[in-house]
Amino acid sequence: MKALLKLTGLVVLMVAVGTLAACAKEVPPVVEPPPPPPVEEPPPPPPPPPPPPAREFEEAEPVVDVLTIGQINEEGILQTIYFDYDESEVRADQRAKLQANAQFLRDNDHFRLVVAGHCDERGTREYNMALGERRASATMQYLVSLGVPASRIDIISYGEENPAATESNEAAWAQNRRAQFQAIDSNDR
């Protein structure tokens, strides 16, 4: 019996040690993170409004702001250009004026144009008539090079006959060496 008691004591001791060991190694409970908040989806956009009921429209004529021949000439829309003494070549400082004139002519094709060449009083009448014609021709050619149809342009020379300034000095002569523009009706020739 002693052996049995020893054996029982040993078993009890082992159970006690096992229980203590189990208590000592108690694993803390696993704490799970809280679930993410639910994602709220935005509400769907409202449906587009229905199209307006179909109506019949009459096609309106476009509004065109057309200047009259008189307005073009009276308001000086086409700018006069000036030449050097005894020259018919278009000066570099006058080309921007011709470019603006050409743009206006391309945008407004309802009229024709007369380019008039003028001279100062120096030189013979015949010489000035020829020089005025060369100035008008050079001006016309420059406009044609910028896309204005030659068929819309006529030239004329007044020589020294229609001066812009009547004094006999360099300032007046500079005003008289010019090419002027006159709009005319398409039927005028």
Side-chain angles (χ1 to χ4, degrees), residues 79 81-83 88-103 105-106 113 115 133-150 153 155 179 181:
Q79 302 174 63
I81 65 164
Y82 297 93
F83 292 87
S88 59
E89 183 178 328
V90 175
R91 294 185 343 205
D93 66 332
Q94 300 298 300
R95 291 180 185 151
K97 291 179 183 179
L98 282 179
Q99 291 167 354
N101 288 354
Q103 182 65 49
L105 292 167
R106 288 189 308 265
L113 178 71
V115 178
E133 186 167 343
R134 288 194 306 272
R135 288 175 175 166
S137 180
T139 302
M140 180 183 101
Q141 292 306 315
Y142 198 87
L143 291 172
V144 169
S145 76
L146 296 173
V148 179
I153 305 170
I155 62 170
F181 304 90

Side-chain angles (χ1 to χ4, degrees), residues 115-127:
V115 178
H118 296 271
C119 301
D120 62 36
E121 63 191 53
R122 297 174 290 180
T124 66
R125 184 180 186 287
E126 294 78 22
Y127 181 82

